[in-house]
Amino acid sequence: MWMPEFLGKEGNKLLKLIEEPPPNTLFIFVAESENQILQTILSRTQLVKIAPLTDTDIEVALELKSGVKIEKATQIAILSEGNYREALQLLQHAEDDWNGLLREWLNAIVRTGPAAQVKWIEDISKEGREKQKQFLKYFTHLLEQAIRLRTIEQRTMNNEQRTADNGTNNETDFALRLNKLCTISQQDAIITELDKASYYIERNANSKMLFHALSIKLYHIISNNSLILAN
């Protein structure tokens, strides 16, 4: 049974069956969040925790099974965070221009104003939930990369060494630009808002309302340094 954490009171109907299963029967519950499983169910099971796959494991699997080029496999592996199923979903949108979509959004928020924001929101709202979540995850990934680059820069205080270590690919360039746009505190605040948005998308929130609200929040974080926002 997949995702037993979503069983409510109806899960109690399974207790007797779980406790005394039929002969030669094994129940396997596959969950993502142990804390959300009903305690009455959890107490009747043997817990086996399975660690996420490494980025290298996912890269190799994508190369061998799906014929993905190493550069794209590496990017997908980082975004999938050890989840091979997520990696396969990301692979379906491997040719999407997340970079360009994000640049357009940030320009609308910071420079071009409400009219550009409305147009961008209209476009993103037409995409499916999975694509919207993957886009937000990509933005989070870039912000985390920006924070890492900032840390490296503070440690080395050597721009030439930083460039040599991190290359000049599009993602690194974008991450460095994000460091010029936001402080670490602002980047942390944006990541928090992106995580909230992904949570609500998963629960079928109205995408237009969600991205309108998110655009306003990001404007205040970036332009006004307003880190404490009303929910």
Side-chain angles (χ1 to χ4, degrees):
M1 179 180 289
W2 296 92
M3 309 301 284
E5 55 264 56
F6 289 103
L7 284 172
K9 293 181 179 179
E10 64 272 13
N12 290 320
K13 297 179 181 179
L14 300 174
L15 297 182
K16 187 68 174 176
L17 187 62
I18 297 171
E19 193 167 13
E20 299 179 8
N24 302 316
T25 301
L26 181 66
F27 290 108
I28 299 177
F29 297 90
V30 184
E32 293 182 354
S33 177
E34 173 190 349
N35 296 331
Q36 295 181 17
I37 302 174
L38 287 173
Q39 189 59 39
T40 49
I41 290 179
L42 195 61
S43 63
R44 288 168 169 79
T45 62
Q46 177 182 346
L47 186 63
V48 178
K49 294 187 177 181
I50 301 183
L53 297 172
T54 66
D55 289 350
T56 301
D57 289 335
I58 293 178
E59 287 175 24
V60 171
L62 290 175
E63 288 182 76
L64 294 180
K65 295 183 178 181
S66 303
V68 181
K69 293 182 179 179
I70 180 63
E71 296 83 2
K72 182 61 67 175
T74 300
Q75 182 186 63
I76 292 175
I78 292 172
L79 292 176
S80 65
E81 298 178 341
N83 187 330
Y84 185 61
R85 177 175 173 274
E86 179 73 14
L88 293 178
Q89 289 182 333
L90 289 168
L91 185 59
Q92 296 177 8
H93 301 287
E95 301 306 319
D96 290 331
D97 185 12
W98 300 129
N99 195 290
L101 190 63
L102 180 54
R103 286 177 187 271
E104 184 181 350
W105 190 27
L106 291 176
N107 279 330
I109 291 171
V110 178
R111 296 179 182 175
T112 50
Q117 292 174 31
V118 170
K119 179 182 181 303
W120 186 90
I121 291 167
E122 285 288 339
D123 292 338
I124 193 69
S125 65
K126 295 175 184 177
E127 304 294 345
R129 284 190 305 155
E130 287 302 319
K131 187 168 183 177
Q132 291 168 357
K133 287 192 300 180
Q134 289 165 14
F135 168 70
L136 294 177
K137 180 175 285 190
Y138 175 76
F139 191 4
T140 298
H141 161 67
L142 279 186
L143 288 166
E144 290 172 345
Q145 185 173 348
I147 292 172
R148 285 194 294 270
L149 289 174
R150 192 192 298 271
T151 303
I152 292 172
E153 184 179 44
Q154 290 174 347
R155 287 177 179 174
T156 63
M157 298 302 291
N158 187 324
N159 291 335
E160 293 182 0
Q161 182 65 37
R162 181 195 65 197
T163 303
D165 288 342
N166 295 292
T168 56
N169 60 63
N170 288 338
E171 285 195 4
T172 301
D173 177 68
F174 204 155
L176 292 172
R177 291 175 182 271
L178 287 173
N179 280 339
K180 294 179 180 179
L181 183 67
C182 305
T183 65
I184 287 182
S185 296
Q186 289 170 307
Q187 289 166 348
D188 282 339
I190 293 172
I191 289 173
T192 298
E193 295 302 331
L194 296 177
D195 288 343
K196 289 180 184 178
S198 294
Y199 174 87
Y200 291 124
I201 288 173
E202 184 68 35
R203 282 148 186 81
N204 293 317
N206 181 288
S207 58
K208 285 187 180 181
M209 292 178 64
L210 184 143
F211 279 102
H212 268 297
L214 187 56
S215 297
I216 293 170
K217 288 182 177 181
L218 263 57
Y219 170 80
H220 285 290
I221 291 173
I222 295 170
S223 299
N224 301 332
N225 200 22
S226 302
L227 301 181
I228 302 176
L229 299 171
N231 289 323

